Amino acid sequence: MRPSTSQGTEHVHTLVIAERRDEADGVISLTLRRADGSALPPWSPGAHVDLVLGNGLERQYSLCGDPSGAGAWRIAVLREPDGRGGSEYVHTRLTTGTRVGARGPRNHFELRTAERYAFIAGGIGITPLLPMVAAAEAAGAPWSLLYGGRSRSSMAFVEDLARYGDRVVLRPQDEYGLLDLADHLGAPRTGTAIYCCGPGGLLDAVEAYCQAAGWPEPHVERFQPKADAAAGENQRFEIELSRSGLTLQVPADASILDTVRAAGVSVLYSCTEGTCGTCETDVLDGVPDHRDSVLTAAERAAGDTMMICVSRARARAGAQTGRLVLDL
């Protein structure tokens, strides 16, 4: 079980954009520092931060710099004209010298120790994998990276990856078509961990291939919720908040997050879509109905943590409604 981040509120760091660079077509990187140059909180490969952009906008971006560089955080942002406004704000409003709020870092995509690694990136999904590749290299673990994008000009950090030689396989779609997962992964190899980040279609394909080929469940990070993540009928259920001493009814048309906030309970949250992991909460009793896109199959089966922005409660055998006891 990962440590829960659901207790209290989290400090917002006021940072300055120290550098802004064009990394590819539609992709910029931002280097964030404190104004006084003091150290930032430590992080590990796979971590992300929330940018607090104002006007109610908050967005999660993977850290893609060097974890040993305590004085700076680096993120990369793809401009999405048809998105929800966050990337457009970053591209048009954040320039060198601009101040911006940031929360975190948090890590729900942690690089676990393995004998060898197979990394797969699609588009801007390269960002959390950059420090993972560097960590695997530093540890002396064998690794490979399959990196695809719409076109070569749209693929960020290609120059940074050139130093790794043929362990990095670049496959722009306009030159090679869709990524050949069978060629890259092949038959299951003991001790190999698969890490993948990118568009939902790629992650679905990787998960499906691994299941069919007999690979262990891959480690994935999603930018958008799974298409069927919220499937299921919504029913009323009860929650008990162990630390707050409250018992609340969660209506069919509201989430646990909505309900506890309406009761005045302070809880961390960000995406409200079940993808960022910010609202992860420990479950002390009851059976969660997991509808997030963060937890692995093993973590869902354990049932000791849940994302309260989207997940609900299952009724136990013989019970009319579900009931959960949460560490809130």
Side-chain angles (χ1 to χ4, degrees):
M1 182 180 71
R2 293 187 299 265
S4 172
T5 59
S6 62
Q7 301 180 23
T9 57
E10 191 176 17
H11 177 67
V12 177
H13 310 282
T14 300
L15 306 179
V16 175
I17 308 299
E19 183 181 16
R20 170 174 165 149
R21 292 181 52 185
D22 292 324
E23 300 291 352
D25 291 347
V27 179
I28 60 169
S29 67
L30 301 176
T31 300
L32 312 174
R33 299 181 183 273
R34 295 191 194 275
D36 62 3
S38 59
L40 290 166
W43 60 280
S44 57
H48 72 266
V49 294
D50 301 336
L51 286 196
V52 183
L53 301 172
N55 297 326
L57 288 175
E58 292 189 22
R59 295 292 184 269
Q60 297 77 44
Y61 297 107
S62 297
L63 291 168
C64 59
D66 181 358
S68 66
W73 288 340
R74 184 177 71 168
I75 62 171
V77 182
L78 169 67
R79 190 172 195 168
E80 299 180 273
D82 298 326
R84 296 180 297 156
S87 68
E88 192 71 16
Y89 185 102
V90 170
H91 273 254
T92 58
R93 302 283 293 275
L94 299 190
T95 59
T96 303
T98 303
R99 291 180 180 265
V100 64
R103 277 201 299 259
R106 280 183 297 278
N107 199 339
H108 294 275
F109 190 43
E110 184 178 0
L111 183 67
R112 312 252 176 111
T113 301
E115 293 178 21
R116 63 185 66 84
Y117 299 93
F119 299 111
I120 303 170
I124 197 63
I126 188 62
T127 51
L129 300 187
L130 287 176
M132 291 188 179
V133 163
E137 178 76 1
W143 62 270
S144 61
L145 168 64
L146 178 63
Y147 179 16
R150 296 188 311 277
S151 64
R152 201 171 291 270
S153 64
S154 73
M155 298 168 66
F157 303 113
V158 169
E159 291 184 3
D160 291 14
L161 293 166
R163 65 180 183 272
Y164 296 121
D166 60 8
R167 282 173 294 176
V168 176
V169 179
L170 302 179
R171 290 292 183 264
Q173 186 174 349
D174 61 352
E175 298 176 31
Y176 294 91
L178 297 178
L179 294 180
D180 189 339
L181 300 178
D183 180 67
H184 183 64
L185 295 175
R189 287 164 288 167
T190 302
T192 301
I194 299 172
Y195 282 81
C196 181
C197 186
L202 172 62
L203 303 188
D204 292 343
V206 170
E207 290 178 333
Y209 178 83
C210 288
Q211 183 176 26
W215 280 97
E217 184 180 6
H219 304 274
V220 302
E221 183 170 57
R222 293 180 178 269
F223 301 133
Q224 301 291 335
K226 290 183 179 180
D228 61 347
E233 183 181 357
N234 285 1
Q235 295 185 344
R236 177 183 59 83
F237 60 95
E238 184 176 272
I239 55 173
E240 178 185 336
L241 310 185
S242 64
R243 285 187 284 114
S244 303
L246 296 175
T247 298
L248 306 171
Q249 299 296 319
V250 180
D253 60 351
S255 68
I256 298 175
L257 176 62
D258 295 333
T259 303
V260 298
R261 292 187 66 228
V265 177
S266 178
V267 61
L268 290 176
Y269 69 97
S270 185
C271 75
T272 69
E273 295 181 325
T275 58
C276 74
T278 304
C279 68
E280 185 174 10
T281 300
D282 291 341
V283 179
L284 305 180
D285 191 36
V287 183
D289 177 8
H290 294 292
R291 302 187 184 187
D292 66 277
S293 301
V294 179
L295 298 176
T296 65
E299 290 167 338
R300 288 175 174 233
D304 52 15
T305 186
M306 69 186 298
M307 306 303 158
I308 62 172
C309 67
V310 291
S311 296
R312 303 183 70 81
R314 292 188 186 277
R316 285 189 164 123
Q320 291 293 317
T321 59
R323 189 177 192 276
L324 297 169
V325 180
L326 304 176
D327 185 25
L328 288 173

